Amino acid sequence: MSYVIAIDGPGGAGKSTIARLVAAKLGITYVDTGAMYRAAAVFLNRRKIDKDDDKSIEKAVSDMDITFSNERVLLNGEDVSKKIRENDVSKMASEYSANPAVRDKLTALQRQMGKTVSLVMDGRDIGSNVFKDAKYKFYLTASPEIRAERRYKELKERGEDIEFNKILEDIKTRDERDMNRKLNPLKMADGAVLVDSTDINIDGVVEEILSNIEER
């Protein structure tokens, strides 16, 4: 029988890295929902649709399709894997994700993915909304400073010129927005296991999560 592992948490907590490793250890599918919201932001921004233009957004997303192929993110068939990792896309994703039409569209796509196969899915509201009945739920977090440091190193390795304080400010702003939005705010789901990665390395976090999985 298939099962879902839901990993929620704020931006920069390492959800995608951890979820990908957990999925690999268990030999099941990994779905990066953050990448889906970033792809949606790219889709809407390219059409120059304002984040508050509900009617235009609702109409546009009906023609939007986001899929995965060998860990590449495809937006209506186009590989946008690199584009969605640009720092400005992160801010846009947080803004557009507050729109009900965007969330409804991506939630439907995510639930469809979880119907037939076991998977690990990470995001902001996987355990609290998308898969409320997920067999396993985790809330992965870390201090804003640690998350900003990780993001800074990642962007520097890609050759991007960005100030640490700007990243820290963006992370705190996004936390505030995500936690206080009216629709499915970021929060720890009922029954979720809290995992704080501030002082734990990647391997330690993976082992902590795996220790709670019966199918291991």
Side-chain angles (χ1 to χ4, degrees):
M1 180 179 294
S2 63
Y3 59 94
V4 172
I5 299 174
I7 302 178
D8 290 324
K15 298 186 302 296
S16 296
T17 298
I18 298 302
R20 183 179 288 107
L21 290 171
V22 168
K25 289 278 189 179
L26 296 171
I28 61 178
T29 301
Y30 164 61
V31 177
D32 181 355
T33 63
M36 296 177 74
Y37 279 98
R38 286 168 178 262
V42 170
F43 176 85
L44 294 168
N45 184 62
R46 284 177 173 176
R47 285 156 181 74
K48 302 186 185 305
I49 300 176
D50 187 86
K51 64 182 177 63
D52 297 317
D53 189 347
D54 293 347
K55 289 185 178 179
S56 294
I57 289 177
E58 183 175 6
K59 181 178 180 180
V61 296
S62 64
D63 296 322
M64 179 181 72
D65 186 42
I66 300 170
T67 56
F68 294 86
S69 176
N70 297 322
E71 295 200 13
R72 292 180 298 121
V73 184
L74 306 181
L75 174 60
N76 288 5
E78 176 194 352
D79 186 353
V80 293
S81 304
K82 291 184 178 179
K83 176 65 179 176
I84 64 172
R85 297 304 173 187
E86 295 176 2
N87 196 53
D88 61 333
V89 175
S90 178
K91 180 180 179 181
M92 289 191 299
S94 180
E95 293 173 342
Y96 282 120
S97 69
N99 186 278
V102 173
R103 301 200 71 82
D104 287 347
K105 174 70 175 185
L106 296 188
T107 294
L109 290 174
Q110 292 158 12
R111 285 175 175 159
Q112 185 63 37
M113 293 176 185
K115 283 184 176 180
T116 57
V117 297
S118 293
L119 53 81
V120 181
M121 190 174 287
D122 71 285
R124 299 290 195 284
D125 66 342
I126 308 305
S128 60
N129 175 54
V130 181
F131 290 106
K132 292 182 179 180
D133 297 325
K135 186 172 183 180
Y136 303 106
K137 302 177 187 179
F138 298 91
Y139 189 85
L140 179 61
T141 190
S143 70
E145 290 75 17
I146 289 295
R147 288 186 279 136
E149 182 180 332
R150 292 169 180 169
R151 181 66 173 160
Y152 177 76
K153 290 180 179 178
E154 178 185 357
L155 293 174
K156 291 295 285 186
E157 288 175 358
R158 293 177 185 168
E160 293 193 37
D161 186 16
I162 184 85
E163 293 183 359
F164 173 81
N165 288 337
K166 176 64 168 58
I167 295 176
L168 179 58
E169 180 184 341
D170 287 347
I171 281 179
K172 289 181 177 179
T173 299
R174 185 171 188 180
D175 284 352
E176 180 71 17
R177 182 186 302 118
D178 289 347
M179 291 177 179
N180 292 285
R181 67 184 179 218
K182 293 181 179 180
L183 184 64
N184 301 322
L186 170 65
K187 63 180 181 179
M188 190 164 75
D190 292 340
V193 176
L194 175 64
V195 181
D196 190 328
S197 68
T198 299
D199 298 313
I200 309 175
N201 63 22
I202 291 175
D203 290 340
V205 174
V206 170
E207 282 305 312
E208 185 167 344
I209 289 176
L210 289 174
S211 69
N212 287 276
I213 308 298
E214 295 176 1
E215 286 82 359
R216 182 179 180 180

